[in-house]
Amino acid sequence: ISNSEGDLLFLLDSSGSVSYYEFSRVKEFMWDLVQPFTFGPKDVQTSIIHISTTPTMEFPFDRYLSSGTLQQAIRDTQQLMGDTNTGKALSYAKEKFFSDEAGARPDVPKVLVWVTDGFSTDDISEPMQLLKDMGVTVFIVSTGRGNYLELSAAASQPPEKHLHFVDVDDLPIITKELRDAILDVIQANRLHAVDITSSSFRLMWPKLLSQETGYYTLEYAPTDDLARKRTNQVSGAHTSLTLSNLAPETTYEVALIPESNVHYFPPQTTRVTTLAEEISPAQVLISESGPHSFHVSWAPTLDSVIGYQILYGPLPGNSVKLLEVDGKHNSTVVENLAPNTTYLVTVTAIYKSGKEKSLSAKACTQE
């Protein structure tokens, strides 16, 4: 997940009320949550603050700018024990969220993920409200019982999107939902791409203009050939546009320039890479044929494929059966066949874009 600029802060309950086992499970959850992001000064930056007797920053936002180094840093994080002074930690977080010294950036979305066992020894309501008033989006994950009313008031609204109660062993259940919600916050005020295929993608951006107040100039070009820049003019009423007839496996630089007759808006930029070209399975091979089965394999397997469908039926005839195979595999055994019979086998690649490409072969069972 790239072109998503934001500062993500984990408020980690490191106090003595958390067991060593719970602490280690929460560290795994934190890593799983951020693992797909791209890290860097133009992407996501992350930091951890411990809740203990005295709040402590584990590392600043700008220290770890690759998945590997961040994973190791999360793994090396040690529990501090002590009291659960969450209010103090929130006040400290507010200070660090907006400080150059902690590597935070001005004008990027701020997200706080507070992982708690639901217990605090000091008041959280005032420092949490100050954070939210400064534009921080607050997600709370409670692995204990906790006070629902207190935590739902502390989380950003609505609580059903920003507050999770889950047993520490079931944290993986909420990982994708929480990650998507964080991504929505980070991308909400940014130009970004969705529905990416090998030849197209849809651009989305926040509503800055209206039909009366101006228009957008959209420029895009392959990163390695910026001279091939293309330009579109888009009505100020629009907040999305689909670009098509693009080259597969190509990175494009995209700039959206709001042309307002009211006041100045800075251009927004993003970088989008199209998927690999959607090709038919290049060959279908039949092997290990017996009276009642044969082995079907195909090539190549592509990252852009989510699955394969294998249709097979006797020739002549119109009865067809279907086998479904995960996109990571490139072979299967077709069974329960009639002996001494010719079958038509069709392998269809189902792409993430929704497109389908097929190739067929004939196969004979033995007598």
Side-chain angles (χ1 to χ4, degrees), residues 44 62 68 77 120 151 164 212 225 237 243 270 288 304 336 362:
V44 169
D62 55 355
T77 299
S120 175
L151 292 179
H164 296 271
E212 294 73 41
D225 190 2
L243 299 181
T270 189
E288 299 170 32
S304 52
N336 303 318
K362 287 182 183 175

Side-chain angles (χ1 to χ4, degrees), residues 284-286 294-298 309-315 320-321 323 332 334 337 342-348 358-364:
V284 174
L285 300 173
I286 310 294
F294 49 72
H295 189 262
V296 184
S297 55
W298 54 90
Q309 292 184 341
I310 292 79
L311 288 166
Y312 61 98
L315 290 172
V320 174
K321 292 185 178 174
L323 268 177
T332 190
V334 181
L337 304 174
T342 302
Y343 284 83
L344 180 67
V345 180
T346 302
V347 178
T348 303
S358 304
L359 191 70
S360 298
K362 287 182 183 175
C364 297

Side-chain angles (χ1 to χ4, degrees), residues 116-191:
T116 174
D117 62 1
F119 174 74
S120 175
T121 49
D122 61 352
D123 178 61
I124 65 164
S125 55
E126 188 180 341
M128 187 66 94
Q129 192 58 52
L130 284 171
L131 270 170
K132 291 190 289 186
D133 289 347
M134 293 177 80
V136 177
T137 302
V138 178
F139 292 93
I140 301 176
V141 178
S142 176
T143 59
R145 293 203 178 119
N147 180 321
Y148 175 78
L149 289 177
E150 183 183 49
L151 292 179
S152 60
S156 289
Q157 299 300 304
E160 57 268 21
K161 189 174 178 183
H162 297 89
L163 173 60
H164 296 271
F165 283 88
V166 61
D167 186 81
V168 75
D169 286 318
D170 294 329
L171 283 167
I173 293 171
I174 66 162
T175 301
K176 185 179 185 307
E177 184 185 343
L178 180 56
R179 185 192 301 131
D180 289 347
I182 291 168
L183 196 56
D184 285 346
V185 173
I186 290 173
Q187 292 187 332
N189 295 309
R190 298 277 309 157
L191 172 69

Side-chain angles (χ1 to χ4, degrees), residues 30-64:
M30 285 161 49
W31 166 244
D32 287 344
L33 192 65
V34 300
Q35 187 263 331
F37 286 107
T38 304
F39 302 97
K42 293 288 184 188
D43 288 289
V44 169
Q45 293 186 165
T46 194
S47 173
I48 294 174
I49 288 176
H50 292 269
I51 300 169
S52 183
T53 306
T54 304
T56 306
M57 178 177 276
E58 178 70 21
F59 50 80
F61 288 103
D62 55 355
R63 179 169 297 168
Y64 299 110

Side-chain angles (χ1 to χ4, degrees), residues 108-120:
V108 304
K110 312 284 187 188
V111 176
L112 175 72
V113 177
W114 173 27
V115 187
T116 174
D117 62 1
F119 174 74
S120 175

Side-chain angles (χ1 to χ4, degrees), residues 81-128:
M81 309 306 281
D83 294 331
T84 315
N85 288 333
T86 309
K88 271 190 186 176
L90 286 165
S91 298
Y92 183 71
K94 179 172 77 73
E95 176 194 317
K96 297 303 177 190
F97 238 139
F98 300 95
S99 86
D100 293 344
E101 164 222 350
R105 296 163 292 178
D107 306 324
V108 304
K110 312 284 187 188
V111 176
L112 175 72
V113 177
W114 173 27
V115 187
T116 174
D117 62 1
F119 174 74
S120 175
T121 49
D122 61 352
D123 178 61
I124 65 164
S125 55
E126 188 180 341
M128 187 66 94

Side-chain angles (χ1 to χ4, degrees), residues 219-231 250-255 269-272:
E219 301 176 344
Y220 62 102
T223 301
D224 57 4
D225 190 2
L226 295 173
R228 284 175 49 209
K229 181 173 80 176
R230 288 184 249 176
T231 304
T250 301
T251 299
Y252 286 86
E253 303 287 339
V254 183
T269 60
T270 189
R271 181 178 290 146
V272 189

